[in-house]
Amino acid sequence: MPTVANRHKKQKIGTVLSLDVVKLIRERASREGKTISEVIESAVRNYNNMDPQQLQLRLEAFRGLCSEKTKLSFKEVTEILDEDFYY
């Protein structure tokens, strides 16, 4: 777990991402008024805090939802898909 002192220290790194991912990051940063670094750092922190068991339950629920016809309305499906998993 990072300490408060370490959280404010920064280190520049280099990485290679697919162009579509870079586009998504830039769009999100622009939409939220954040830097690309802030978006990536937030995503990594949230991913790291995910409970693997909860993720497995969500995947199983998704498979169940997609394996048969559903009686969910379009609005309900849209709300589920729009849910931000990382927040």
Side-chain angles (χ1 to χ4, degrees):
M1 179 116 192
T3 64
V4 173
N6 285 342
R7 188 169 286 186
H8 298 291
K9 293 181 180 179
K10 304 286 181 176
Q11 179 177 346
K12 187 173 181 137
I13 64 168
T15 189
V16 178
L17 300 171
S18 61
L19 292 176
D20 60 327
V21 171
V22 172
K23 181 179 177 188
L24 291 171
I25 295 168
R26 285 184 175 151
E27 288 171 352
R28 179 99 181 227
S30 176
R31 200 170 49 246
E32 295 182 3
K34 295 182 178 180
T35 65
I36 290 172
S37 294
E38 289 171 325
V39 170
I40 294 171
E41 186 170 333
S42 176
V44 170
R45 287 186 189 281
N46 287 323
Y47 179 79
N48 194 54
N49 291 330
M50 277 193 312
D51 176 9
Q53 185 175 10
Q54 181 67 20
L55 177 59
Q56 186 61 37
L57 291 172
R58 289 178 67 101
L59 287 171
E60 289 172 15
F62 174 77
R63 285 188 190 108
L65 178 67
C66 295
S67 65
E68 299 177 16
K69 287 186 177 182
T70 181
K71 293 184 180 184
L72 291 174
S73 70
F74 178 76
K75 181 181 178 207
E76 291 169 318
V77 172
T78 302
E79 287 174 1
I80 292 168
L81 294 175
D82 287 343
E83 197 175 289
D84 195 339
F85 178 72
Y86 296 104
Y87 290 102

